[in-house]
Each structure stands twice: as structure tokens, then as C-alpha cells.
């Protein structure tokens, strides 16, 4: 769920901020897009006009056109995308490299159709998020940023942090959705191949040395980098939790929400092979898989429904719905937990997944340590009619009081 807009009475727009990005911006309503919009909310509350500069090649991924999420225009956030032609509200790349990537993607999809017909799994595209830009593209991004340098420049992810040295804004920050070095280690510990190019923590720290501030999604990662880079300010940006509860529904339901990345695919595999078969054998209920990750379900078990898009997540229900996050791979912060809580759901996750939140969710989320515990606890939660019927009306108010971003706002407002 998207965070609310910044408080209009604080929006003096006396400062300008530029955010450097190298990923697609067509969907900012889930995953790391939610965290980006949390930053935009904080910037707006601190009185900044916001401009996004996109990498001319890498930001398209493997699709040569993009319609930015409407939330950007609604919030008055402008877009500067070198190497594009805009027709209506759609940006088209004019770079041959982007179109060649698109052709290769199309060829792979055609070849994989027979495989999917035979029940094979989708083949994931490797993520370039941890890869630094090639020098020509990096210079284009820096040149675009410096055309209107403003007061603050923010590089999204450590992979863009090296660009800060060539940007002329007064303050330089990095939005750390997660540490790629920690993410790689988490994949390896779970026995899976990282979904990005692995780097060491030393390499990641070297990328960040041009920054004045690291804005972290994870409290535990903020503390870790504070020790590694003590000369840089480190602030944990807490997710903005809004009250988005829908109407109560008497039907118990389990929900897993996610975009398509390696961490969610690992969790989905665990759900469908180890957790859901045990739950389905004991309880008559449905599992709803919602979002881009639903496209990875090739052999749908009994009781499972898939929704690649849901315009209003409040349709998922509230107190009778349990949101699950059995994340084997942990890095950054699990945005879906905040989404579940916003929707009034009870939440079940692994203890390790909660570490990024510090102690802010203590008493509000159920956490276990093993897949066996996860399945048995989920069965108990579904069959506990008294607990299911009680939607804790005070959850959001508790969270809102705990999720203050005053430290970040004070830094942004300081001269």
C-alpha cells in the first residue's frame, strides 16, 4: 500500500531534491516502490520539490517503453529521462541497446512457452540492481542531475552511490532498500543462487563513501553500516503505516502478496511445497497469492487462487485474513508486513524477517523459526475463531506512534 502524501501545511517547497534511479517506475504500489514513496513523503514534509532522474538504458530493463505510476504525477514529482521520447504519458526508449534487450527477452519467452505447457517453472531474468552503470550512462545521469542541482541528491541503492561524487548538490544521500552484500549472503545461506550480482560488504562500503547520509530500510542494516562507515550519517527510515482496513469478512483466508524477485520466489516455493499442503489438509480455507509473484505459480494446488493485479487491496479483508511472510531470504525490510497490518490482518512471519523492524512490531506480529512451526501456527490461527473474529482496532494507532521519522525530517530540514 502506498504511504499517504506529505502534510500539505508543511510543504513550503523551498528546497529541491533529485532522486537518481535505474529501475522501472511503472508500479510503485508494492515492494521497494512503497519505500521510495515513503522517502518522497518525508521529502515533501520537509519542504522539497522532487525530481526523478532515470538512467537512459538500465531503467527500462527489458521493456523499451514505460508508463510511470500515476502516483508520481499526482504528487507533483517530475521526471527527467534522457534518451526517451514521450508520447502522452508513456516514455519510449530511442536507444538501440534497450530494443535489443527487448528482442532477446521476447525470444526467450517464445522458447519457454513449450516448457511452461509441460509444467515447467518460469525462468527468472537476472536483476541488474546491484550493478553499477557503465561510464557513458553514468555521465548522462550525472549531467541530467546537474542541469538543476538543487539542495539534495539521493541515489537509489548503493549501485548508484558512486554517481554522487559527480553531482553538485549541497547534500548527498543514498536510499538503501537493502544491502546487496547481505542479500547475497542470505540467498547463499538459504541454499539458493542470488538473484543479483553478489558483492562484498567492503565493495558496498566503497560505493557509499561519497555520501553524507545513508537512509536505510532496515534498522539492523543501519546499525551494521554505522560501524563500517562512522563518518557518514545513518538514519533508519521507518515505513509509513496508514489505516486502510476494508470491510470485515466472515470467511477465513490466507494471503501472500509480492512482486517477482528471488526472495519472494523462495518464499512461494516454501508455501506451496511445505506449508500449504499441511494447512489445506486441516482447514477449509483459501490461499490468495496476490501481485506479480502469482505469475510464478505453474501448478496450482487445491485451495489456491492467484490475482496478478488487485486495484483495491482492501478487498482482501481484515480481521479474518492472515497475511503470511515466510521469507527464507532476508535483506532490507519486508514491506508486505506493513501492508498486511495496514489492511487490518493478523500477520505470521519468521523471526529473522522481523529483525529489520527492531522492536517496533513487538506484540503486533506472530513470529516463528521453522517451516514446521509456521504451518502448525497458521493452522492454529485459522481455527482460533475467537482470535479470528477480533480485529485489533488499535494496531495502526500503535504503529503510527512507533513509526516516527522525526530524525530523518530534522536532517532534511537542516541548513
Amino acid at each position: 500500500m502506498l504511504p499517504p502524501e506529505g502534510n500539505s501545511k508543511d510543504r513550503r517547497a523551498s528546497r529541491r531534491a533529485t532522486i537518481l534511479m535505474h529501475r522501472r517506475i511503472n508500479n510503485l504500489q508494492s515492494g521497494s516502490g512503497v519505500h521510495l514513496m515513503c522517502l518522497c513523503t518525508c521529502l515533501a514534509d520537509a519542504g522539497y520539490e522532487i525530481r526523478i532522474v532515470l538512467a537512459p538504458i538500465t531503467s527500462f530493463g527489458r521493456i523499451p517503453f514505460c508508463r510511470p505510476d500515476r502516483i508520481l504525477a499526482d504528487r507533483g514529482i517530475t521526471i527527467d529521462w534522457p534518451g526517451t521520447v514521450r508520447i502522452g504519458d508513456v516514455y519510449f526508449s530511442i536507444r538501440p541497446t534497450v530494443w535489443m534487450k527487448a528482442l532477446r527477452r521476447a525470444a526467450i519467452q517464445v522458447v519457454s512457452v513449450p516448457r511452461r505447457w509441460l509444467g515447467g517453472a518460469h525462468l527468472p531474468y537476472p536483476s541488474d540492481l546491484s550493478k553499477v552503470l557503465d561510464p557513458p550512462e553514468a555521465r548522462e545521469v550525472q549531467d541530467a542531475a546537474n542541469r538543476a542541482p538543487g539542495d539534495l541528491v539521493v541515489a537509489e541503492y548503493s549501485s548508484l552511490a558512486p554517481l554522487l561524487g559527480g553531482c553538485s548538490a549541497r547534500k548527498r544521500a543514498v536510499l538503501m532498500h537493502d544491502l546487496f552484500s547481505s542479500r547475497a549472503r542470505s540467498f547463499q545461506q538459504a541454499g539458493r543462487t542470488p538473484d543479483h550480482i553478489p558483492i562484498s560488504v567492503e565493495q558496498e562500503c566503497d560505493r557509499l563513501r561519497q555520501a553524507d547520509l545513508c537512509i536505510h530500510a532496515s534498522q539492523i542494516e543501519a546499525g551494521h553500516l554505522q560501524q563500517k562507515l562512522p563518518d557518514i550519517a545513518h538514519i533508519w527510515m521507518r515505513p509509513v503505516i496508514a489505516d486502510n482496513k476494508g470491510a470485515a469478512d466472515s470467511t477465513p483466508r490466507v494471503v501472500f502478496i509480492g512482486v517477482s524477485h528471488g526472495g519472494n520466489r523462495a518464499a512461494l516455493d516454501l508455501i506451496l511445497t511445505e506449508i500449504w499442503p499441511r494447512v489445506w489438509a486441516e482447514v477449509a480455507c483459501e490461499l490468495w497469492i496476490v501481485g506479480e509473484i502469482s505469475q510464478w505459480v505453474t501448478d496450482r494446488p487445491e485451495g489456491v487462487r492467484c490475482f496478478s493485479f488487485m486495484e483495491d487491496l482492501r478487498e482482501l479483508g481484515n480481521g479474518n485474513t492472515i497475511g503470511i511472510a515466510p521469507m527464507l531470504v532476508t535483506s532490507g525490510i519486508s514491506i508486505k508486513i506493513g501492508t498486511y497490518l495496514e489492511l487490518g490482518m493478523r500477520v505470521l512471519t519468521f523471526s529473522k524477517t522481523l529483525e529489520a523492524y527492531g522492536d517496533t512490531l513487538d506484540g503486533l506480529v506472530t513470529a516463528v523459526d521453522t517451516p514446521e512451526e509456521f504451518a502448525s501456527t497458521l493452522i492454529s490461527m485459522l481455527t482460533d475463531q475467537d482470535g479470528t473474529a477480533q480485529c485489533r482496532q488499535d494496531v495502526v494507532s500503535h504503529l503510527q506512534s512507533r513509526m516516527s521519522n522525526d530524525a530523518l525530517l530534522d536532517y532534511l530540514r537542516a541548513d
Side-chain angles (χ1 to χ4, degrees), residues 90-293:
V90 180
Y91 289 79
F92 293 86
S93 175
I94 59 174
R95 300 298 171 83
T97 301
V98 175
W99 287 92
M100 288 302 297
K101 285 184 178 181
L103 289 174
R104 286 195 293 269
R105 176 180 184 268
I108 291 172
Q109 287 183 326
V110 170
V111 171
S112 64
V113 167
R115 186 173 186 273
R116 292 200 297 271
W117 284 345
L118 296 173
H122 291 262
L123 295 174
Y125 295 103
S127 171
D128 289 331
L129 277 181
S130 64
K131 182 181 178 182
V132 298
L133 300 183
D134 291 334
E137 188 175 22
R139 283 192 294 271
E140 282 195 84
V141 173
Q142 289 172 325
D143 289 344
N146 288 334
R147 281 195 288 269
D151 304 275
L152 171 71
V153 60
V154 182
E156 193 190 30
Y157 293 99
S158 63
S159 42
L160 288 188
L163 301 185
L164 295 177
C167 294
S168 54
R170 290 193 303 110
K171 294 181 180 179
R172 303 167 182 176
V174 185
L175 176 58
M176 300 288 292
H177 293 283
D178 52 9
L179 276 172
F180 290 121
S181 50
S182 295
R183 183 178 181 86
R185 186 168 58 253
S186 183
F187 269 88
Q188 291 159 355
Q189 290 173 346
R192 302 181 72 95
T193 302
D195 63 349
H196 62 289
I197 300 171
I199 62 173
S200 68
V201 66
E202 290 76 21
Q203 290 173 308
E204 195 146 27
C205 286
D206 284 341
R207 293 179 175 185
L208 298 170
R209 297 190 188 280
Q210 298 294 329
D212 304 307
L213 166 69
C214 286
I215 304 168
H216 295 270
S218 163
Q219 185 182 36
I220 193 169
E221 290 180 359
H224 179 58
L225 274 199
Q226 178 72 67
Q227 296 178 351
K228 296 282 186 179
L229 296 169
D231 295 332
I232 297 174
H234 298 268
I235 298 176
W236 176 36
M237 185 178 72
R238 295 159 173 79
V240 177
I241 303 293
D243 190 346
N244 292 307
K245 292 192 294 294
D249 189 327
S250 60
T251 305
R253 181 185 300 137
V254 179
V255 168
F256 180 71
I257 299 175
V259 296
S260 182
H261 60 62
N264 279 335
R265 292 194 289 270
L268 182 60
D269 287 345
L270 180 66
I271 292 168
L272 297 180
T273 59
E274 297 188 39
I275 294 172
W276 185 246
R278 292 185 57 191
V279 174
W280 177 252
E282 298 286 337
V283 185
C285 66
E286 290 183 336
L287 166 64
W288 286 18
I289 301 172
V290 180
E292 191 180 69
I293 191 63

